[in-house]
Amino acid sequence: DTEVTQTPKHLVMGMTNKKSLKCEQHMGHRAMYWYKQKAKKPPELMFVYSYEKLSINESVPSRFSPECPNSSLLNLHLHALQPEDSALYLCASSQERESAYNEQFFGPGTRLTVL
Amino acid sequence: QKEVEQDPGPLSVPEGAIVSLNCTYSNSAFQYFMWYRQYSRKGPELLMYTYSSGNKEDGRFTAQVDKSSKYISLFIRDSQPSDSATYLCALHGSSNTGKLIFGQGTTLQVKP
């Protein structure tokens, strides 16, 4: 089973709201990722977790706060977002972060609209 | 110069045609190559994952890697309307960061 699940599918929030995106995988993968994708653009890496520890933060604004409660779950906490943060947020996982095991499987994404 | 170049298209072909999608890259450190298919408003789906130069086949899909030319291709045989999607190449090297470098994606339309 190569499935990564994400909830919710759609989210509309105001600039003062606090919300969270959730991602789950049961493939035993030890690396998990958050990406942001704007229309007609490729995914942009935001965060990488390896063995539940944050290993890469691609200079993402602090209004995005990742959390990895355990090896199967990844959250992205959102606070005080801007309209330009509206995008498709994708979660991915891979067996390991290292190159030979970095076959990344993506979830369906959460489509976020910030009003 | 971008690390990975991919023609965004759109590419329009008749049903049954052979489709060739390509990416070129500049950094010889890239060692692992992936092709993803992404339908509109959905997450990318991994189609092919290759390491060495040469061909890898999976059903109607063939991935080709030429490291000497820094050129990778995805061929789709007997294309179907259901193949209409955006195809993204993704590369990574030996840095062990987990970071993929994506091409811009090629939009493919297969007409019945």
Side-chain angles (χ1 to χ4, degrees):
Chain A
D1 182 14
T2 56
E3 187 177 29
V4 176
T5 59
Q6 290 187 245
T7 55
K9 291 183 180 179
H10 303 275
L11 179 61
V12 179
M13 60 186 291
M15 290 189 286
T16 58
N17 291 158
K18 286 185 180 181
K19 297 286 184 183
S20 296
L21 309 184
K22 297 186 185 300
C23 173
E24 190 167 5
Q25 57 87 13
H26 294 289
M27 295 178 277
H29 289 174
R30 304 316 299 263
M32 297 185 76
Y33 310 80
W34 280 116
Y35 288 85
K36 173 183 177 180
Q37 188 177 27
K38 302 284 266 185
K40 299 189 186 302
K41 297 290 187 183
E44 295 176 44
L45 183 66
M46 300 175 72
F47 302 104
V48 179
Y49 273 84
S50 179
Y51 286 84
E52 301 159 48
K53 288 184 170 35
L54 183 65
S55 61
I56 291 181
N57 175 340
E58 290 282 290
S59 303
V60 179
S62 59
R63 57 186 184 268
F64 295 91
S65 175
E67 179 196 19
C68 190
N70 60 54
S71 59
S72 301
L73 292 174
L74 189 65
N75 298 323
L76 186 63
H77 303 297
L78 314 173
H79 174 53
L81 294 193
Q82 305 296 310
E84 59 264 30
D85 296 322
S86 298
L88 181 67
Y89 287 84
L90 295 161
C91 175
S93 71
S94 65
Q95 185 178 346
E96 300 274 351
R97 189 191 60 188
E98 283 68 28
S99 296
Y101 306 99
N102 194 9
E103 192 175 358
Q104 292 187 24
F105 296 91
F106 283 82
T110 293
R111 185 156 299 279
L112 174 67
T113 303
V114 182
L115 302 176
Chain B
Q1 183 186 5
K2 291 179 181 175
E3 288 189 274
V4 181
E5 299 278 358
Q6 182 178 9
D7 186 340
L11 179 63
S12 182
V13 302
E15 183 176 354
I18 297 175
V19 176
S20 173
L21 305 165
N22 311 295
C23 288
T24 58
Y25 60 97
S26 54
N27 189 342
S28 59
F30 289 127
Q31 299 291 326
Y32 299 87
F33 310 94
M34 281 164 271
W35 284 97
Y36 288 91
R37 176 176 64 193
Q38 187 172 24
Y39 292 113
S40 181
R41 305 174 77 85
K42 303 290 185 184
E45 174 191 3
L46 181 63
L47 290 176
M48 302 290 275
Y49 180 62
T50 57
Y51 166 67
S52 57
S53 285
N55 294 351
K56 180 179 180 180
E57 189 173 320
D58 185 0
R60 295 185 296 111
F61 299 93
T62 300
Q64 189 173 81
V65 174
D66 182 348
K67 289 186 177 179
S68 62
S69 302
K70 299 188 182 65
Y71 191 87
I72 63 171
S73 301
L74 179 70
F75 297 96
I76 307 174
R77 290 185 299 282
D78 188 24
S79 57
Q80 302 295 310
S82 59
D83 294 326
S84 299
T86 295
Y87 290 80
L88 294 150
C89 63
L91 290 67
H92 67 92
S94 56
S95 64
N96 292 335
T97 64
K99 184 173 181 177
L100 297 181
I101 306 300
F102 284 91
Q104 289 299 298
T106 299
T107 300
L108 171 68
Q109 184 180 20
V110 181
K111 295 184 176 180

